[in-house]
């Protein structure tokens, strides 16, 4: 996939604007398989060290432990790196497994992170990525991490020789404290994104 993606991108760049179908294919390759950092291009199957050399340190490096039910333990082999290239470019989320890039996703347009985030309970909304949540509200007062098995069972192979595996969900519970006049907010994240927000008792004044 690594060599193929780059060869296809080079071919697209040499074609004129009239080759609409191939241009659409190029867009799909650029969106999901490759990322340009300055004059360099990174692609799926690249190593972490290669991505860092091309794109620099990410704005957020999120380690997401995954549970392997066959061995009964967790492995820290999954990471998501967030790159914020500014207001005019999309945020890029790069997922690595086993030290290699497996997926490139987007998360809306980038932004200049505030120096002193000022967060209210209304700033906590479903769908926020972890990076946007941290930029908007800062670190939570408490956090708890766990790895759960997804109820979804996926099957692979031909029907006569089918096997099954379960997928893992990296879950975090963050608690935000807005003071004694407000309720605590418990924020549930799954695989780096907010999926639920609940009230969690009366807040408190922090003397720090």
């Amino acid at each position: 996939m690594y060599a193929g993606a780059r060869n296809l991108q080079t071919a697209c760049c040499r074609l004129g604007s009239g080759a609409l179908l191939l241009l659409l294919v190029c867009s799909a390759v650029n969106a999901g398989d490759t990322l340009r950092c300055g004059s360099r291009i990174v692609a799926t199957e690249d190593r972490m060290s290669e991505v860092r050399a091309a794109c620099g340190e990410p704005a957020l490096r999120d380690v997401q432990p995954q549970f392997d039910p066959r061995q009964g333990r967790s492995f820290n082999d999954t990471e998501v790196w967030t790159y914020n290239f500014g207001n005019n470019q999309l945020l890029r989320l790069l997922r690595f497994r086993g030290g290699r890039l497996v997926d490139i996703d987007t998360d809306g347009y980038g932004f200049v992170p505030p120096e002193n985030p000022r967060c209210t309970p209304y700033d906590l909304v479903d769908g926020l990525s972890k990076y946007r949540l941290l930029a908007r509200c800062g670190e939570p007062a408490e956090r708890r991490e766990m790895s759960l098995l997804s109820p979804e069972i996926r099957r692979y192979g031909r029907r006569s020789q089918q096997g099954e595996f379960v997928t893992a969900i990296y879950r975090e519970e963050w608690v935000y404290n807005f003071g004694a006049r407000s309720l605590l907010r418990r924020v549930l994240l799954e695989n780096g994104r907010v999926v639920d927000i609940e009230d969690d008792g009366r807040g408190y004044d922090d003397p720090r």
Side-chain angles (χ1 to χ4, degrees):
M1 184 181 295
Y2 171 80
R6 288 187 175 167
N7 291 339
L8 181 55
Q9 185 184 44
T10 301
C12 288
C13 292
R14 291 177 178 174
L15 289 171
S17 59
L20 178 59
L21 180 59
L22 284 178
L23 286 176
L24 290 175
V25 173
C26 279
S27 298
V29 169
N30 286 335
D33 294 328
T34 65
L35 169 65
R36 178 179 292 278
C37 293
S39 60
R40 302 178 66 175
I41 293 176
V42 298
T44 51
E45 298 299 328
D46 278 355
R47 297 179 181 275
M48 285 181 170
S49 57
E50 294 175 300
V51 175
R52 188 185 296 108
C55 302
E57 288 293 334
L60 177 66
R61 182 172 177 172
D62 184 26
V63 179
Q64 298 182 357
Q66 300 294 314
F67 181 77
D68 186 343
R70 296 167 297 180
Q71 301 189 36
R73 62 193 182 97
S74 296
F75 295 89
N76 294 335
D77 71 336
T78 300
E79 293 190 24
V80 178
W81 292 8
T82 300
Y83 282 94
N84 183 357
F85 297 116
N87 298 339
N88 296 324
Q89 297 191 52
L90 296 172
L91 287 177
R92 300 287 183 165
L93 280 65
L94 280 61
R95 182 175 296 274
F96 296 85
R97 288 197 183 96
R100 289 189 180 272
L101 181 60
V102 297
D103 184 58
I104 301 173
D105 202 355
T106 60
D107 184 32
Y109 276 94
F111 55 92
V112 177
E115 293 184 6
N116 299 304
R118 294 184 177 182
C119 181
T120 72
Y122 302 103
D123 291 315
L124 302 174
V125 295
D126 289 350
L128 280 179
S129 64
K130 183 183 292 189
Y131 177 69
R132 289 188 181 275
L133 176 60
L134 288 170
R136 181 178 296 189
C137 295
E139 288 287 340
E142 304 173 22
R143 69 163 70 192
R144 186 165 66 99
E145 303 176 358
M146 67 192 81
S147 185
L148 303 176
L149 294 181
S150 169
E152 177 185 7
I153 297 178
R154 300 182 182 179
R155 292 177 171 82
Y156 62 92
R158 296 181 178 179
R159 181 173 299 179
S160 60
Q161 298 177 335
Q162 261 192 354
E164 294 183 351
F165 69 94
V166 292
T167 58
I169 296 174
Y170 175 55
R171 175 175 287 183
E172 300 170 88
E173 289 183 353
W174 292 11
V175 176
Y176 279 95
N177 174 36
F178 297 99
R181 296 184 178 181
S182 298
L183 295 174
L184 295 171
R185 295 295 193 276
R186 185 169 63 90
V187 180
L188 182 65
L189 300 95
E190 291 185 352
N191 294 336
R193 195 167 293 275
V194 176
V195 296
D196 191 34
I197 302 163
E198 296 180 358
D199 297 337
D200 195 22
R202 180 63 58 181
Y204 52 89
D205 293 328
D206 192 338
R208 289 178 298 177

